[in-house]
Amino acid sequence: KLGLSLRELQTMGWSELVNRIVCAQSTMRLCVVKELSALDIVSRVMRKENYFIAMLNKDILRLHVPGFRKYVMMTKTLEWNIYRCVLDSMFDENFRIKSTFTEDPAGLRKHMKFMAAANLAISPFMTVFLLVYFFLGNAEKIYHQPSSVGTRGWSALARWKLREFNELPHIVTHRLNSAYVHAIKYLEQFPSPIVSMFGKFVSFIVG
């Protein structure tokens, strides 16, 4: 309906695609209630992510490390579990919040307990897999570029905390990459002797 081939769709920028969808409403009806704007389209695409960002901003999710209330942690595994237990169960096929989600906390609790048991059962295998994956993915880089051991990066929690509502993944990645140099300069004002010693030790070991 947009007159785009698969090749054009794969190479077209997001803003141009949204503009075409908005303009196409002059010849066809996409929404019965009103004409969709670019904001409406992005809000629909980013609905789950917006709820996730709101949960983090309001501290609804308890991400504190057990026994260390000062520290919070967000891993990719934890993020996947939150999506699977909460966000994927929240909406129906029309992207409306299910009544069972808000009216049946016992069902949600049962689902979370099941996922916790499943995670515990596969955790030994996941640990081995992640160690092998990390080694194979980083061994050559560490050997040829020992200085890369101490390279900092945005944590998963930082990426979500710094993300705006309706901000698409490629946009937030570009914004954080632009801020990386300035963030490193700021952190260099507070050097950590332990991290520095560990980096030098690893650099010595790998030659």
Side-chain angles (χ1 to χ4, degrees):
K1 292 182 178 180
L2 296 177
L4 296 173
S5 65
L6 181 60
R7 182 179 181 85
E8 289 175 324
L9 190 61
Q10 292 174 337
T11 57
M12 180 176 291
W14 169 257
S15 57
E16 184 179 353
L17 177 61
V18 172
N19 185 55
R20 286 210 181 193
I21 295 175
V22 173
C23 293
Q25 294 179 100
S26 61
T27 57
M28 59 180 169
R29 196 70 174 174
L30 298 178
C31 182
V32 178
V33 180
K34 64 173 183 176
E35 288 193 358
L36 298 176
S37 65
L39 179 60
D40 295 325
I41 296 171
V42 174
S43 297
R44 174 60 65 91
V45 173
M46 297 290 298
R47 181 162 293 185
K48 290 182 180 180
E49 286 78 3
N50 285 341
Y51 271 93
F52 193 30
I53 293 170
M55 290 178 183
L56 290 174
N57 291 344
K58 295 293 184 180
D59 292 325
I60 294 175
L61 301 173
R62 295 184 179 180
L63 302 177
H64 297 280
V65 178
F68 300 90
R69 296 285 300 175
K70 182 180 178 181
Y71 301 98
V72 294
M73 179 179 62
M74 166 73 77
T75 63
K76 295 300 293 183
T77 304
L78 179 59
E79 183 181 331
W80 180 87
N81 277 280
I82 293 173
Y83 262 81
R84 183 68 183 85
C85 294
V86 181
L87 299 174
D88 289 345
S89 306
M90 182 183 296
F91 301 101
D92 59 16
E93 62 276 5
N94 296 318
F95 283 93
R96 296 189 180 94
I97 296 179
K98 297 178 181 178
S99 58
T100 54
F101 181 82
T102 57
E103 298 172 2
D104 185 22
L108 180 61
R109 190 179 299 111
K110 182 179 179 181
H111 184 49
M112 288 184 171
K113 288 181 179 180
F114 171 78
M115 291 299 297
N119 275 268
L120 183 61
I122 67 173
S123 58
F125 308 101
M126 283 296 297
T127 302
V128 174
F129 169 77
L130 291 174
L131 287 173
V132 173
Y133 179 82
F134 175 81
F135 178 78
L136 294 178
N138 296 277
E140 183 179 359
K141 181 179 178 181
I142 293 175
Y143 180 79
H144 291 289
Q145 300 177 354
S147 60
S148 65
V149 174
T151 303
R152 295 179 180 270
W154 299 103
S155 67
L157 181 61
R159 292 181 67 89
W160 282 108
K161 281 283 191 178
L162 296 173
R163 192 169 180 176
E164 301 287 348
F165 290 110
N166 295 324
E167 190 171 23
L168 294 162
H170 67 281
I171 296 177
V172 68
T173 298
H174 175 74
R175 185 164 62 83
L176 292 180
N177 287 343
S178 301
Y180 178 80
V181 175
H182 304 287
I184 292 298
K185 288 182 178 179
Y186 174 77
L187 290 175
E188 286 176 350
Q189 300 178 73
F190 314 98
S192 174
I194 297 178
V195 174
S196 178
M197 290 174 61
F198 178 75
K200 291 179 180 179
F201 171 75
V202 175
S203 298
F204 174 77
I205 293 297
V206 299

